[in-house]
Amino acid sequence: MNLAELWIHQHGEASICHPLYGQIYRIGRDCDGEIVVNHPAVSKRHALLELKGRHWHLRDNGSTNGLSWQGCSIETIKLQNGDLIRLGPASAENVPEIEFRQLNVRPWINKGFKIFSIASLGTGLFGLLLLVIGSVSVPVRGSLAPVRGPMVLYDRNNRPLSSSNSSGHQELSGLNSFSPHLIKALLASEDNRFWWHPGIDPIGTLRALLTNLLGGKVLEGGSTLTQQLARSLYPEQVGQGETLGRKWRELMVALQLEARFSKRDLLLSYLNRVYLGVGWGFEDAAQLYFNRAAKDLSLEQAALLVGLLPSPNGNDPCAFPQDALSARNGVLTKMAAEGVVANDVVRRARRTPVVLAARACAARERKPAPFYSDQVYRDLENLLGSEVAGEGNFLVDTNLDPVLQEVVETKLREYLQPGNGWGVEQGAVVVIDSRNGAVLSLVGGRDYNTSQFNRATQALRQPGSTFKLMTYLVALERGLKPDDAVSCAPLDWGGQSFTAGCAGSLALSQAFASSSNTAALRLGRRYGLDAVVKKARDLGITTPLAAVPGLVLGQSETKLIEMTAAYAAIANNGIWQQPTTIRRLTDAEPCANSGKACRQPSQTRSNNRRVVSVKQAQLMQALLRGVVQWGTGNAASLGGAEGGKTGTTNDGRDLLFIGFEPSRHWVMGIWLGNDNSTPTAASSALAAQLWADIIRSAGRGSTNAEAR
């Protein structure tokens, strides 16, 4: 038995070990990938690690900076123990490296594994028998549950934002209406013991259990097609969430389905109703992607559609063609391994390029508010777990303000036009309603089609002087007043010398408005860095924070959405609200059964807490107004009661402004910069200018929105 590990080495960070128990791993910045490497030089989907036979292979996945090994650029490599590969060019400094390690485990473990498997199998079968005897009733006596609708997103005006069109859904009447290639691919990839197991595959379940235990996290699901049907068609009986109780209920429903319906009926229902990202069932997907009936699918076409099942969005051939190709080839490999297709046939199919219908991807090009929509799915995963969220079939009322979103997208593109002379290529904007944490608008980059990496919610960047909010809040809590004097003279601290443009003292409000570094450092030294870290944690900052002098000046990396939510707590008189895109969530199944609009509010948990007293929050609001009225944030001035804080890191690598507009209850965070952290030719005044430009252009946003 051979075990393998992949180690991630990044400059200045502890190495991270990833045990390799699966077969395919996506490596990159994308948080949905199996191995996440958060570094500006790393592409969203940088490389693909795949087990082929007994050997691991690493290949470049169309990344910007490529792979290098032993000083040479490479496209692909069969990994050997100790291989060290750089995620970038050989000449680049401080780029992440991955190290492959192969561990040989003594043969006696294999014998122990076999004994354990046999014993566990017997125990599991006995337990399943008890489940059958004591199973609860589920409504499956007449026919299988009806086809369910897709996930639909609504903006805050209750207008559809995006959906998978199910109006043309077709259900085929028999298995002979589907290509034999499709059925073979499905069973080989998802459930190769479907025809003989009783709804639960003991062998697959035990293998998944062992893999997950060894890996320390969920790497395999072990679910049969019947179990997938159970949780998809009967969510009320199965329940939601990644819990043991839900898994047991899923097993019960699967056993009852097998007892009451034939294997052919169950397989037909699955083929007709499984969610594939673009609708429901293989007939719908075949028509959209290939403009042909499911019965006419070729081997490689069938394999591509089956390859969508583990991740309908991540393996989308329109958005991620390389991932779709890899998933397709993985299905073909499984078919060869199961002996359902000859090796030479599979070899030819793998060499066949993916060819989609002419208009297959047209709808994806018109996806509205793409960064926002992606974040809705992430928030849904946080609420329900990735497995349940991936099944779809929800009506999601979002907090999206369509008017504000359009303005934010338009203005950000204007400011990021090539050749503007500012040396700024990327940016991100997030707008939060301070009263409830509702994310009203979110844009994570200049062009979604070019890069889906969300710089508002996923990027880790230095916040610069916007982080001084934490230190000044500590000072106010300890009794300091806005008119109290604080020295702004140069100082030495922690082995570092900090220069200053003044030699005397400033009032606290003046020091904050002018963004004096030395004044902030003295406050941090006076009240303690641990207190600053604690205040940041109270205000929702979850990223690592080093208790060093540079922390006060925004040295530690944060997320823009978390910093914006911290400022929203101040605008909300000291009550922090969890930022979220989801306003209301409804299971769509009752809607389909009733034939009525099923839009009643669901029960959602409130996540808010007081983090600052009302008095201190109002004092900080006054300090933030001073920044805009006569300080570094003057470019954001609207002539009202708005306030905010600028932030600029060394050489203008990060340009930030986070501010509030009280009449609208808007708190907007803006970041401008470059993904590779190259210097810009601008200052945070540019971000402040964009902030004001957006608010002037957006007016009051959507005036027809629901009362909040």
Side-chain angles (χ1 to χ4, degrees):
M1 181 179 178
N2 291 323
L3 300 178
E5 298 172 343
L6 199 72
W7 285 78
I8 309 298
H9 306 299
Q10 292 198 67
H11 181 72
E13 298 184 15
S15 298
I16 301 173
C17 176
H18 294 272
L20 304 178
Y21 298 112
Q23 288 188 314
I24 299 178
Y25 292 82
R26 294 167 295 177
I27 303 173
R29 277 202 327 263
D30 188 357
C31 65
D32 294 329
E34 287 76 24
I35 298 178
V36 179
V37 184
N38 200 344
H39 189 277
V42 178
S43 299
K44 180 180 173 108
R45 297 167 182 268
H46 198 103
L48 192 73
L49 181 66
E50 185 175 4
L51 181 63
K52 298 180 180 180
R54 299 178 62 87
H55 299 283
W56 288 93
H57 293 252
L58 180 73
R59 67 172 175 83
D60 182 71
N61 200 24
S63 67
T64 301
N65 294 314
L67 303 174
S68 57
W69 174 71
Q70 296 186 354
C72 300
S73 297
I74 58 172
E75 291 291 331
T76 184
I77 184 174
K78 183 171 81 173
L79 295 172
Q80 304 291 331
N81 185 37
D83 278 341
L84 197 66
I85 295 91
R86 295 168 62 85
L87 300 179
S91 58
E93 296 182 358
N94 299 329
V95 297
E97 295 179 320
I98 57 177
E99 180 185 0
F100 179 77
R101 299 180 185 178
Q102 192 84 44
L103 309 174
N104 293 320
V105 183
R106 288 177 291 182
W108 60 264
I109 293 184
N110 286 326
K111 184 177 180 181
F113 176 77
K114 292 177 181 178
I115 296 172
F116 171 80
S117 298
I118 294 171
S120 300
L121 179 60
T123 304
L125 290 173
F126 180 74
L128 292 177
L129 179 60
L130 294 178
L131 281 175
V132 175
I133 296 174
S135 62
V136 298
S137 177
V138 294
V140 297
R141 299 187 184 278
S143 59
L144 288 165
V147 64
R148 305 168 64 206
M151 182 179 297
V152 183
L153 309 185
Y154 297 87
D155 64 24
R156 69 197 303 252
N157 293 326
N158 292 325
R159 298 190 179 109
L161 175 64
S162 66
S163 68
S164 302
N165 185 12
S166 64
S167 60
H169 173 74
Q170 301 180 61
E171 294 218 3
L172 306 182
S173 58
L175 295 180
N176 58 357
S177 300
F178 296 90
S179 166
H181 296 308
L182 179 62
I183 295 175
K184 290 178 181 178
L186 174 64
L187 297 183
S189 179
E190 295 294 312
D191 193 351
N192 61 351
R193 285 175 285 272
F194 172 78
W195 293 113
W196 67 264
H197 66 61
I200 304 164
D201 181 4
I203 298 174
T205 300
L206 289 171
R207 184 184 66 245
L209 176 63
L210 182 63
T211 298
N212 296 337
L213 287 174
L214 291 173
K217 59 182 178 179
V218 178
L219 297 169
E220 287 188 22
S223 295
T224 65
L225 296 187
T226 315
Q227 289 174 255
Q228 295 178 45
L229 271 179
R231 64 175 180 258
S232 178
L233 300 182
Y234 302 98
E236 294 183 2
Q237 287 73 34
V238 172
Q240 301 176 348
E242 305 282 354
T243 65
L244 184 59
R246 188 207 62 80
K247 194 67 177 178
W248 280 121
R249 291 189 294 274
E250 175 188 297
L251 297 178
M252 293 184 210
V253 177
L255 289 169
Q256 292 185 61
L257 288 174
E258 289 275 353
R260 296 171 183 173
F261 299 98
S262 70
K263 286 285 189 180
R264 295 182 65 86
D265 286 340
L266 294 172
L267 181 57
L268 178 62
S269 179
Y270 188 96
L271 291 165
N272 274 323
R273 302 170 185 184
V274 69
Y275 180 63
L276 293 168
V278 293
W280 300 85
F282 283 97
E283 175 69 14
D284 293 0
Q287 294 286 356
L288 186 140
Y289 282 125
F290 303 114
N291 195 28
R292 62 171 56 187
K295 66 178 180 180
D296 298 324
L297 291 171
S298 66
L299 173 61
E300 57 271 14
Q301 291 171 338
L304 185 135
L305 295 186
V306 171
L308 294 173
L309 291 171
S311 179
N313 295 319
N315 294 336
D316 180 349
C318 294
F320 309 113
Q322 287 301 314
D323 291 325
L325 178 63
S326 183
R328 183 203 71 173
N329 291 343
V331 172
L332 291 169
T333 300
K334 289 180 180 178
M335 294 179 74
E338 291 295 325
V340 298
V341 180
N343 286 328
D344 60 330
V345 176
V346 165
R347 192 159 42 249
R348 287 195 299 271
R350 285 173 61 93
R351 295 170 66 87
T352 303
V354 174
V355 180
L356 304 177
R359 298 189 58 79
C361 302
R364 305 302 176 87
E365 297 173 358
R366 299 189 299 269
K367 181 179 179 182
F371 285 108
Y372 194 101
S373 298
D374 284 358
Q375 190 59 37
V376 172
Y377 289 105
R378 294 189 186 96
D379 288 348
L380 191 63
E381 288 182 345
N382 291 332
L383 284 174
L384 303 176
S386 57
E387 186 177 18
V388 175
E391 295 168 5
N393 202 49
F394 293 102
L395 304 178
V396 184
D397 292 310
T398 75
N399 291 309
L400 178 72
D401 185 321
V403 173
L404 178 59
Q405 179 72 16
E406 178 65 26
V407 171
V408 169
E409 291 179 353
T410 301
K411 290 298 179 180
L412 184 61
R413 282 196 301 269
E414 289 178 2
Y415 276 66
L416 297 180
Q417 285 293 327
N420 55 25
W422 297 321
V424 177
E425 296 181 355
Q426 279 295 351
V429 180
V430 58
V431 185
I432 295 175
D433 188 324
S434 61
R435 297 168 294 181
N436 49 32
V439 178
L440 304 177
S441 176
L442 187 149
V443 179
R446 181 179 67 185
D447 183 6
Y448 181 84
N449 291 326
T450 302
S451 170
Q452 294 79 46
F453 181 64
N454 194 326
R455 295 155 186 83
T457 62
Q458 295 176 290
L460 294 177
R461 305 291 301 212
Q462 291 183 347
S465 292
T466 61
F467 198 83
K468 290 175 181 175
L469 175 81
M470 314 301 174
T471 303
Y472 277 78
L473 280 172
V474 172
L476 293 173
E477 287 182 343
R478 301 296 176 87
L480 216 60
K481 303 292 191 299
D483 294 334
D484 289 343
V486 57
S487 173
C488 59
L491 82 160
D492 296 325
W493 186 17
Q496 294 178 273
S497 295
F498 298 92
T499 59
C502 77
S505 298
L506 295 169
L508 189 73
S509 57
Q510 293 175 315
F512 190 72
S514 62
S515 201
S516 169
N517 285 344
T518 50
L521 287 163
R522 278 188 167 83
L523 294 175
R525 186 171 65 177
R526 181 188 304 177
Y527 300 115
L529 293 173
D530 289 341
V532 177
V533 171
K534 184 180 183 305
K535 181 53 61 179
R537 296 294 185 225
D538 290 344
L539 285 161
I541 307 302
T542 62
T543 53
L545 300 174
V548 297
L551 171 73
V552 174
L553 307 180
Q555 173 180 298
S556 295
E557 295 177 329
T558 59
K559 295 180 179 179
L560 180 64
I561 192 169
E562 292 186 350
M563 287 295 298
T564 307
Y567 276 71
I570 303 305
N572 195 32
N573 288 329
I575 297 178
W576 177 87
Q577 303 272 357
Q578 176 72 49
T580 181
T581 59
I582 298 175
R583 172 165 51 97
R584 182 167 61 188
L585 181 64
T586 307
D587 192 332
E589 175 125 4
C591 304
N593 293 335
S594 67
K596 301 178 181 179
C598 182
R599 306 291 303 282
Q600 297 301 314
S602 60
Q603 295 295 321
T604 56
R605 61 175 185 243
S606 176
N607 193 354
N608 60 73
R609 59 180 184 268
R610 176 164 293 284
V611 294
V612 178
S613 72
V614 174
K615 179 181 179 181
Q616 290 154 1
Q618 291 175 346
L619 288 173
M620 179 53 68
Q621 291 170 16
L623 294 183
L624 290 166
R625 290 190 184 99
V627 173
V628 173
Q629 292 170 0
W630 40 274
T632 59
N634 184 256
S637 178
L638 301 171
E642 63 278 358
K645 185 71 182 76
T646 54
T648 307
T649 62
N650 292 343
D651 300 320
R653 287 178 168 84
D654 302 275
L655 315 174
L656 296 102
F657 184 82
I658 307 175
F660 65 92
E661 202 294 308
S663 70
R664 300 168 176 83
H665 304 284
W666 291 355
V667 180
M668 185 188 314
I670 295 178
W671 169 85
L672 302 174
N674 298 308
D675 284 342
N676 60 2
S677 295
T678 55
T680 70
S683 71
S684 55
L686 181 65
Q689 179 182 325
L690 173 58
W691 186 93
D693 201 358
I694 290 173
I695 291 183
R696 290 193 188 97
S697 301
R700 304 201 68 83
S702 298
T703 57
N704 297 325
E706 288 187 346
R708 308 288 304 165

